[in-house]
Amino acid sequence: GDLARFHRRKWAKKIVAISGSNGKTTTKEIAAALLGASYSALKAPGTWNNALGVPLSLLMLEKKHDVAVLEMGMNDFGELAMLGRMAEHDAAILTNVGPVHLEKLGSVEGVARAKGELFTSLKEGGTAVVNQDDGWIAKLASTVSGRRVTVSLAAGADVSARVLQDLGSEGFHLAVQYGGQKTEIRFPFVGIHNVYNLLCALGAALALEVPVSRLQKGVDAIVRPSMRLETIECGRGIRLINDCYNANPSSTLVALEVVRDTSPKRKLAVLGDMMELGEFAPRAHRDIGIKVATFGFAHLFVLGQFSGDLVQGAVQGGMPRQNITVGKSHEDLAKAISENAKEGDTILVKGSRGMKMEKVTNELLRLWREKGA
């Protein structure tokens, strides 16, 4: 970290730091593409967002780079402040604040305080990109002494967006207010949560003076992060939504909503445990089970320590018990899904990183390949 800070000071150009309960990596990719339309931009590889990944990213800075876009994660107090001391960032984006890492942080208020360290560790004269539609972030931003760039789905913010057309699985056609200018953007990501990720990235682009004329070029260059609402077309009209990178109550709810809103036929949910929730875990899993049922999913497949809570919630929400499968292993679950899937189904696979739910995805694809599907 000390070496990285020393190298960053020698390099002496602009750094954008991104954190939030959900959407960090996606927002990093969008911001890097937008900034890359005007500058030579370095982005942190993959999800290099911890006490090792952030300094390694900083040590990749070269003279050719005009700006760097870093992702910063945490699961305890003080971690973002530590990463901020290394990066000395010029712009800070908080995407949102939600119920994550509650085992250590205790409450959503604790999450907000820990995330707020990204703002308080801003370089002097730096810019906070403020999602006004998130109450916790708006409250945190009230203590920022430097410049603020506000973003919102409502008019009146520095950056705002209005949906002109929902293109379904093709994303959105948006009318965007960007500083004092207006433009239209075709954005190829599904879900309103991703529109918020775009707004946050646009806030950083505005702070670093990317011209409005280059925004669509930047959007067209976005690299989609893997295992985040990744759509795999499997034949017979079956869509597999591989959203296995991580999970918490808010990101799981968003994934369920996206599948509910974009699936014309039957919907199947394949869910692993959401981790690091401490004493909140049983209730959080029951609540998700209720949502699976009330959103009209035809079948629920579960794996992990909190399977019983997911089952309890789904039954409470009105799903027949025979429409729920509890797996003993990734392979066991994949076999059950393969036998249950029908033409036109949409299958969501999601769970925390420690659950490695992509093993279910990979095994399911292997089974179908063997069958020639």
Side-chain angles (χ1 to χ4, degrees):
D2 290 341
L3 284 168
R5 181 172 58 219
F6 174 77
H7 182 61
R8 183 265 181 275
R9 287 179 175 176
K10 284 184 66 179
W11 177 74
K13 299 177 187 176
K14 301 289 187 182
I15 288 181
V16 177
I18 300 168
S19 194
S21 297
N22 299 297
K24 293 185 291 296
T25 303
T26 301
T27 303
K28 179 204 70 180
E29 294 292 340
I30 298 171
L34 291 172
L35 293 168
S38 291
Y39 305 109
S40 173
L42 170 75
K43 65 178 179 182
T47 52
W48 287 19
N49 64 16
N50 59 17
L52 181 61
V54 170
L56 285 176
S57 299
L58 290 167
L59 289 165
M60 294 171 66
L61 290 167
E62 299 180 32
K63 288 182 179 180
K64 67 180 181 181
H65 296 125
D66 304 308
V67 63
V69 184
L70 304 181
E71 177 182 339
M72 294 186 181
M74 62 89 203
N75 62 8
D76 207 348
F77 298 106
E79 292 185 356
L80 285 181
M82 172 191 65
L83 298 177
R85 285 193 295 272
M86 296 179 195
E88 296 183 345
H89 45 290
D90 302 271
I93 297 173
L94 280 182
T95 57
N96 47 60
V97 171
V100 298
H101 310 302
L102 298 179
E103 194 168 25
K104 290 184 178 179
L105 300 175
S107 66
V108 178
E109 182 180 3
V111 176
R113 282 196 291 118
K115 290 293 185 187
E117 295 171 10
L118 193 76
F119 285 163
T120 56
S121 60
L122 262 169
K123 193 175 180 179
E124 187 175 352
T127 302
V129 177
V130 181
N131 176 2
Q132 287 191 148
D133 297 348
D134 186 300
W136 288 109
I137 294 176
K139 187 175 180 181
L140 291 170
S142 65
T143 64
V144 174
S145 57
R147 181 188 176 197
R148 285 182 284 174
V149 171
T150 57
V151 304
S152 173
L153 278 177
D158 296 314
V159 178
S160 62
R162 176 170 54 88
V163 176
L164 294 175
Q165 186 179 3
D166 187 336
L167 303 173
S169 61
E170 300 300 314
F172 296 95
H173 182 199
L174 303 169
V176 173
Q177 177 77 34
Y178 181 74
Q181 299 173 287
K182 295 180 180 180
T183 189
E184 294 183 10
I185 290 176
R186 292 183 73 89
F187 181 56
F189 284 63
V190 299
I192 286 295
H193 68 291
N194 274 320
V195 177
Y196 274 110
N197 293 338
L198 172 65
L199 285 170
C200 288
L202 285 169
L206 182 63
L208 272 66
E209 301 179 346
V210 174
V212 68
S213 60
R214 298 195 180 181
L215 296 181
Q216 186 66 60
K217 178 184 177 183
V219 168
D220 293 342
I222 296 169
V223 177
R224 290 172 174 267
S226 64
M227 296 197 295
R228 292 165 175 83
L229 289 177
E230 176 185 11
T231 300
I232 303 171
E233 301 292 345
C234 301
R236 294 194 299 137
I238 296 174
R239 286 192 311 150
L240 188 59
I241 309 298
N242 189 39
D243 197 30
C244 300
Y245 180 72
N246 213 345
N248 58 53
S250 52
S251 70
T252 303
L253 177 58
V254 163
L256 291 170
E257 288 173 341
V258 167
V259 172
R260 177 195 64 188
D261 296 340
T262 62
S263 304
K265 295 187 178 179
R266 242 179 36 134
K267 304 176 291 294
L268 313 181
V270 185
L271 302 179
D273 285 351
M274 301 177 291
M275 296 181 171
E276 296 185 42
L277 295 175
E279 63 184 89
F280 301 94
R283 174 61 184 271
H285 285 84
R286 285 195 297 273
D287 288 347
I288 289 297
I290 291 171
K291 292 296 185 185
V292 170
T294 57
F295 285 1
F297 280 75
H299 204 108
L300 171 63
F301 300 85
V302 295
L303 182 69
Q305 178 183 352
F306 297 102
S307 294
D309 297 295
L310 281 165
V311 171
Q312 183 182 343
V315 171
Q316 183 180 337
M319 179 176 279
R321 182 61 183 83
Q322 63 266 29
N323 291 8
I324 305 172
T325 300
V326 179
K328 297 178 182 177
S329 67
H330 298 91
E331 294 75 17
D332 177 49
L333 209 58
K335 183 180 178 184
I337 299 163
S338 176
E339 293 170 351
N340 187 278
K342 298 179 181 179
E343 184 173 337
D345 282 355
T346 298
I347 306 169
L348 170 68
V349 187
K350 189 165 182 63
S352 277
R353 185 82 304 270
M355 290 299 297
K356 294 182 169 57
M357 293 300 285
E358 66 274 14
K359 289 184 177 180
V360 175
T361 299
N362 295 337
E363 177 65 12
L364 186 56
L365 293 174
R366 187 190 69 79
L367 289 171
W368 282 340
R369 279 195 299 270
E370 280 188 356
K371 293 179 181 179

